[in-house]
Amino acid sequence: MKSEVRVLFVCLGNICRSPTAEGVFRKVVDDAGMATCIVVDSAGTHAYHTGEAPDRRAQLAAEKRGFDLSKIMARRVVVEDFSQFDLVLAMDQDNLRLLREQCPEEYADRVRLFLEFAADHDELEVPDPYYGGSLGFERVLDLIERASSGLLKHCQLRLDHPAIK
Ligand code: 4NP
């Protein structure tokens, strides 16, 4: 039996969408009592905000729904992430393409879109909220919360059946 699944969420800046996904999914994992076997982290494809805490708007919107992002610090994706994480989940197609360009071929199947794991497949991208208003951050949370339950089920299945990708 596989003992651990490691998940990395990736957006552009690592200050809005991917730290929100990290905070939400970490709570979903904790609430399910699975914190010892599902590891959660986030990173950005660009280094503009390296070392910064998540955007205040993302933190406030998350806090209102009971998710704490305050301890997260932005970092850029490094090539070791592809060997270290079982799933490298992009928030949108642009970041998926950038990740695929960086990813060593042997790990290509680890790089996917996060919203693939949402029960409904209406949308595949979490839209960038950075230049918009507060509604964008609520939308980000709606999409992330929905996909997180699907992702938890997928991780549980992988832990039970290690052949599943
Ligand atoms: P994120 O949002 O990729 O969800 O963290 C953005 C953050 C910063 C910028 C763009 C998107 N920026 O251009 O600095």
Side-chain angles (χ1 to χ4, degrees):
M1 190 182 276
K2 197 174 191 308
S3 60
E4 203 174 73
V5 179
R6 301 172 60 86
V7 181
L8 181 70
F9 296 105
V10 181
C11 60
L12 185 153
N14 193 210
I15 55 166
C16 298
R17 292 165 293 174
S18 61
T20 300
E22 177 183 342
V24 170
F25 191 57
R26 178 166 290 124
K27 179 160 192 307
V28 166
V29 165
D30 283 351
D31 290 350
M34 303 206 56
T36 53
C37 45
I38 302 177
V39 173
V40 189
D41 195 5
S42 66
T45 51
H46 293 74
Y48 309 134
H49 298 279
T50 293
E52 292 178 20
D55 187 288
R56 276 308 298 162
R57 297 164 296 170
Q59 288 205 51
L60 282 172
E63 202 177 290
K64 277 196 272 165
R65 298 194 193 192
F67 305 111
D68 177 22
L69 311 186
S70 64
K71 291 171 198 71
I72 299 172
M73 193 173 82
R75 71 171 181 90
R76 192 179 193 172
V77 171
V78 291
V79 73
E80 291 78 16
D81 286 324
F82 299 104
S83 56
Q84 294 295 310
F85 289 90
D86 301 292
L87 290 166
V88 179
L89 302 179
M91 295 293 145
D92 60 27
Q93 300 282 3
D94 280 349
N95 288 296
L96 181 72
R97 181 178 44 77
L98 290 170
L99 287 170
R100 286 194 169 141
E101 283 170 12
Q102 271 182 272
C103 180
E105 210 177 308
E106 62 188 300
Y107 303 121
D109 61 357
R110 300 178 173 197
V111 181
R112 296 160 72 163
L113 282 171
F114 176 36
L115 293 193
E116 265 185 50
F117 295 94
D120 55 67
H121 275 73
D122 296 354
E123 282 159 88
L124 280 176
E125 298 189 289
V126 181
D128 183 350
Y130 189 67
Y131 293 106
S134 60
L135 274 181
F137 288 85
E138 296 302 327
R139 180 90 186 113
V140 164
L141 278 159
D142 290 343
L143 292 165
I144 286 173
E145 284 197 84
R146 213 176 300 160
S148 289
S149 357
L151 180 59
L152 177 70
K153 285 192 195 119
H154 175 81
C155 291
Q156 286 168 330
L157 210 62
R158 279 176 82 123
L159 288 162
D160 291 341
H161 307 281
I164 291 173
K165 295 281 181 205

